[in-house]
Amino acid sequence: MLSIFETLKSIAFAVDEAIKTEDLGYASGRNATGDDQLKLDVRADGIVESILSQHPLVYSIISEEKEEELIVHPDGRYTVCYDPLDGSSIVEADLSVGTIFGIYEKGKLTGSGLRGSAYIVYGPRLELVAAVRGRAPRHYRSGSEGLFAVRRSLRLGEKGKLNAPGGTQKYWLPEHKAFVDSLFAEGYRLRYSGGMVPDLHQILVKAGGIFSYPGTSDKPEGKLRALFEVLPFALIYEAAGGEAVDQRGRRLLELVPSSLHATTPCFFGSSYEIGRFKEAYGVNDG
Ligand code: P6P
């Protein structure tokens, strides 16, 4: 599986170039979830597909931008689910965005079938974080030493200072608003850009805090897609010593998504903040 991570570096370089040069207008189509597609979404999806589909260990690839699974190597071992450019709509504001990968055992598209995950951050620097289940995430940073030359492990502390509350506040459930406000009353800092990858990356790099995208009255099952976005980050957060749960306090890595493009409420963070979430929602350990 580690050799699949190697291909992500060439994906990172190619998508980073596309972000800097592609037209930011809309393409003609919509993705599988019904979102309008930007030309950049289509371009990034094509780059990921063309590079990943060459790797012999990859049995199939499933893109957030497409409805169906694409079988690429019948003898392959893994299915890679990916979001080619998460947060693409904020590129127009020149904010950081990312690509997210989940590497699942062939035919096991569930939390327990996830073997490894990774994400790329297209920001002031090109960064990559990758984790094999149960081992600390590795953080690769680019700079004067070269592309992804600097490496370190990522570890979450018991408690942080950052609060990244997603979703439209008008549609939050009362218990969620009370929870978010209680953290701000404790002095937590608001850190939310609307880009899942940089928002979750910041909490990991700053070693603590919480990111939440709850079920809301307009989106009871949340907005973020389980296979492409939520489960890959759940593996990374648990591997960094944090927790990743749904709105009933259940581990997201025990989730069995109901469909390829199913969404789920999600809470990622250090253990103190997840404990506070469980108190506020009146849930125990799932
Ligand atoms: P909201 C981007 O569209 C995205 O899928 C994630 O990157 C981000 O965390 C979320 O949506 C933002 O959604 O409803 O808070 O604007």
Side-chain angles (χ1 to χ4, degrees):
M1 176 167 44
L2 293 179
S3 60
I4 296 177
F5 285 146
E6 279 308 307
T7 66
L8 306 189
K9 296 179 180 177
S10 45
I11 288 172
F13 190 72
V15 174
D16 192 44
E17 281 304 301
I19 288 169
K20 290 173 171 56
T21 57
E22 182 58 73
D23 172 347
L24 297 183
Y26 281 94
S28 55
R30 290 188 166 207
N31 68 13
T33 318
D35 304 329
D36 290 329
Q37 278 181 317
L38 292 167
K39 289 176 186 168
L40 196 48
D41 288 320
V42 177
R43 175 95 180 274
D45 188 37
I47 290 169
V48 177
E49 179 180 323
S50 68
I51 294 175
L52 270 188
S53 55
Q54 293 170 38
H55 196 293
L57 280 179
V58 177
Y59 165 73
S60 65
I61 56 177
I62 305 177
S63 168
E64 185 197 283
E65 296 300 330
K66 295 196 187 76
E67 189 66 53
E68 304 298 332
E69 181 176 19
L70 178 63
I71 311 293
V72 291
H73 293 286
D75 299 335
R77 276 193 59 191
Y78 302 105
T79 290
V80 182
C81 296
Y82 66 91
D83 181 353
L85 197 61
D86 183 82
S88 56
S89 60
I90 63 176
V91 168
E92 188 178 20
D94 204 28
L95 291 175
S96 298
V97 289
T99 302
I100 310 166
F101 304 87
I103 302 172
Y104 297 82
E105 283 291 345
K106 170 179 166 183
K108 205 171 177 208
L109 300 181
T110 65
S112 63
L114 185 61
R115 312 300 334 138
S117 53
Y119 64 85
I120 300 160
V121 193
Y122 308 98
R125 290 172 179 236
L126 201 48
E127 307 209 340
L128 168 70
V129 171
V132 173
R133 197 178 190 112
R135 285 161 45 183
R138 304 294 283 169
H139 176 201
Y140 302 84
R141 179 168 280 168
S142 305
S144 57
E145 306 85 350
L147 197 60
F148 303 128
V150 178
R151 277 183 1 174
R152 67 190 184 112
S153 289
L154 286 174
R155 188 87 193 138
L156 281 165
E158 279 294 304
K159 182 181 185 300
K161 299 186 178 71
L162 306 183
N163 187 8
T168 305
Q169 298 196 24
K170 171 184 169 187
Y171 299 123
W172 285 353
L173 302 181
E175 58 272 30
H176 188 70
K177 177 150 177 54
F179 166 58
V180 171
D181 289 349
S182 73
L183 291 180
F184 286 133
E186 266 189 58
Y188 279 72
R189 314 290 295 277
L190 172 62
R191 292 290 183 271
Y192 191 78
S193 72
M196 177 183 195
V197 172
D199 290 343
L200 281 160
H201 185 59
Q202 179 172 203
I203 291 169
L204 282 167
V205 169
K206 302 286 186 187
I210 187 164
F211 173 102
S212 53
Y213 204 110
T216 56
S217 55
D218 66 328
K219 296 186 179 83
E221 291 309 310
K223 171 184 181 184
L224 302 180
R225 290 81 166 182
L227 288 175
F228 312 101
E229 297 166 327
V230 174
L231 294 181
F233 269 104
L235 184 145
I236 289 171
Y237 262 64
E238 284 202 2
E243 294 186 51
V245 296
D246 69 8
Q247 77 285 12
R248 289 171 55 187
R250 297 172 300 193
R251 280 181 70 221
L252 286 162
L253 285 181
E254 290 169 12
L255 183 71
V256 179
S258 55
S259 67
L260 289 185
H261 295 275
T263 62
T264 176
C266 52
F267 301 78
F268 305 90
S270 316
S271 44
Y272 171 80
E273 287 85 354
I274 296 294
R276 289 289 314 284
F277 148 76
K278 289 177 181 175
E279 280 167 26
Y281 272 61
V283 296
N284 50 31
D285 288 329

